[in-house]
Amino acid sequence: MTRTGTPHPLPAVSGRRRTTAALAASAAVLPALLSACGGPAAADAAGKDVTVMTWAPSGTGAADRPGMTALADAVGRQLNDQGGLAGRKVRVLTCNEHDSTDGATACAEQAVSAHAVAVVGSASQYGSSFMPILEQAGIPFIGGYGLSGPEFSSPLSYPVNGGLPALVAGSGRQLVEAGCKQISLIRPDSRAGDALVNYLGGAVRQTDVKLTDIKAPEKSNDYSAYTRRAIGDDRPGNCVLSALGAEPTANLLDPYRRANPKNTQLASVIGSFQQSVVDSTGGDSGPLHGAYATGWFPAESSRVWDGLRETVRGYGNGATIDVSDPGVQTTWVAYEVLRQAAGRIDKSRTITPKALQVILDSGDPIDTAGAAGPERPPDRAAPGLHRHPLGPHQRQAPGLTGRPAGGDHGGARVGPHRGPLPRPPPPPPSRRTRCRRWRRPATPAGAGRPASGRRRAGRP
């Protein structure tokens, strides 16, 4: 069902309550589409139906994550087909955040007006705009993509990963272990990009590694100048870490391939090295051969994502949702957390934002089916609360066959982060972290194989 806003085409891609002193000021609200699974968008939290919201930017270019909202719609259809959320009909609202402060503010305000009990599996770098609005209304923010500091400092935010800044920092530490003497960070010329520099700098501060900060536009068809600067004199120990999105990283790889560096080591994060990028650049004969990619979750081929694949196949309604996209995976894990938390609320009680907070603040473990890493020790400042591990996996490009570094995980405790994100240096990687280069797995005897030797992302 469509409410006010611009048309939103079907995507074709792959605790304790604390009220802030004042809401973030907002300018004119951009139109943002709300679509509901199973009924009107406006739902009363006091009734039997349960309303939740997922937002992400779409139609903006490099920052787009439409697969997250497409998956949220699919999850809503599946939940209602299987009896609802803890026996209650669920309405999943999706909102285009437009990658702007106004868009983030609009989505948060619409979540409040729709009486959403939670915002789940969403992406926005403007946490300072949307978190105060959710805090004022007491709405928990479950499983954000981790692009902004408030997602890790707000008492109403419940992360399911360590966030992009800590991921970049973890990649930096592992590159140091791999022998890098100089790391050139190619990152967005934006507020979020500024944070990445701080975290990477903290990760290498205790070493002799030289860090070069290269600001690049989020939208460009030519990254030749940035690539040349990053490669420099191509001496041994030189490393390039791309923290751009998938589309600009793909555009960056073309001049990198033409430069044909002999000694420079390439690295990035999962989500920037997508399977489509691996395929389009030549696979194991392209520039990504031997490159490092760091991510939060097990590889797309892991059985951990069987449920995600089943949801996409059965309830995606024709949308091509890339199950190797870390944004899609984050949304999936976030809805699993919501489902289990709602299931622990007494059947005689209504599912409300406060009821969810009580469950999420309890510190009791929530099974993420192996998607999240091993739990960290309890937060000393908040006994009983457990933080998600900040130790990344590092492996070659996402979606390739083979087990993730360190193997599949067990369950993890999901709880709010108290206090601001730790300033660099970040927490050390988990003991499961491994630093591996990509080598094509051997094909079992008698097994068939595509002519290209590669497989398409989003397939089980």
Side-chain angles (χ1 to χ4, degrees), residues 227 248-258 266 273 277 281 287-288:
T227 303
T249 295
N251 293 336
L252 180 145
L253 288 175
D254 186 50
Y256 186 90
R257 177 184 54 79
R258 292 197 304 268
L266 181 62
F273 283 174
V277 176
T281 56
L288 291 180

Side-chain angles (χ1 to χ4, degrees), residues 24 55 70 99 116 135 139-140 156 170-171 189 221 232 242 267 282 296 303 332 355 372 377 380 415 423 426 433:
W55 64 60
D99 191 32
E135 289 177 353
I139 299 175
L156 285 181
S171 178
D189 186 6
N221 292 322
S242 172
W296 294 117
R303 65 181 183 275
W332 170 257
R380 295 172 184 261
R423 278 298 170 188
T433 298

Side-chain angles (χ1 to χ4, degrees), residues 403-426:
R403 296 180 65 190
D408 294 344
H409 297 309
R413 295 181 187 268
V414 177
H417 283 244
R418 297 289 188 255
L421 264 173
R423 278 298 170 188

Side-chain angles (χ1 to χ4, degrees), residues 59-307:
T60 66
D64 287 358
R65 293 279 179 186
M68 298 176 72
T69 50
L71 177 63
D73 284 335
V75 170
R77 288 187 286 268
Q78 182 180 39
L79 284 172
N80 286 329
D81 190 47
Q82 298 177 353
L85 188 64
R88 300 164 176 87
K89 184 177 180 181
V90 61
R91 296 184 176 98
V92 176
L93 312 181
T94 60
C95 182
N96 185 352
E97 180 261 7
H98 291 284
D99 191 32
S100 68
T101 55
D102 291 343
T105 299
C107 289
E109 290 177 342
Q110 289 169 339
V112 174
S113 64
H115 303 286
V117 300
V119 174
V120 187
S122 298
S124 174
Q125 62 176 310
Y126 302 103
S128 58
S129 295
F130 68 77
M131 273 313 309
I133 298 173
L134 298 183
E135 289 177 353
Q136 180 73 15
I139 299 175
F141 186 74
I142 302 174
Y145 192 61
L147 294 174
S148 64
E151 294 180 51
F152 299 92
S153 60
S154 171
L156 285 181
S157 181
Y158 301 85
V160 297
N161 65 37
L164 182 60
L167 189 62
V168 169
S171 178
R173 284 193 172 185
Q174 291 174 319
L175 288 176
V176 171
E177 294 175 1
C180 296
K181 301 301 182 184
Q182 173 174 308
I183 301 176
S184 296
L185 175 66
I186 304 178
R187 52 87 170 186
D189 186 6
S190 65
R191 181 190 308 176
D194 294 340
L196 300 182
V197 179
N198 294 334
Y199 275 81
L200 181 59
V204 303
R205 184 171 298 159
Q206 304 296 326
T207 71
D208 295 328
V209 172
K210 178 183 177 182
L211 175 61
T212 302
D213 177 23
I214 301 177
K215 299 179 182 180
E218 292 185 280
K219 301 178 183 179
S220 177
N221 292 322
D222 186 6
Y223 287 94
S224 299
Y226 308 98
T227 303
R228 286 194 299 269
R229 182 184 172 194
I231 295 175
D233 56 5
D234 189 29
R235 67 178 60 185
N238 186 48
C239 295
V240 174
L241 173 56
S242 172
L244 300 172
E247 181 180 336
T249 295
N251 293 336
L252 180 145
L253 288 175
D254 186 50
Y256 186 90
R257 177 184 54 79
R258 292 197 304 268
N260 193 27
K262 304 300 182 182
N263 299 304
T264 299
Q265 174 66 58
L266 181 62
S268 188
V269 297
I270 300 296
S272 297
F273 283 174
Q274 292 188 349
Q275 183 65 46
S276 58
V277 176
V278 176
D279 291 345
S280 65
T281 56
D284 57 356
S285 62
L288 291 180
H289 177 70
Y292 291 116
T294 308
W296 294 117
F297 301 123
E300 177 267 330
S301 58
S302 171
R303 65 181 183 275
V304 164
W305 307 115
D306 286 350

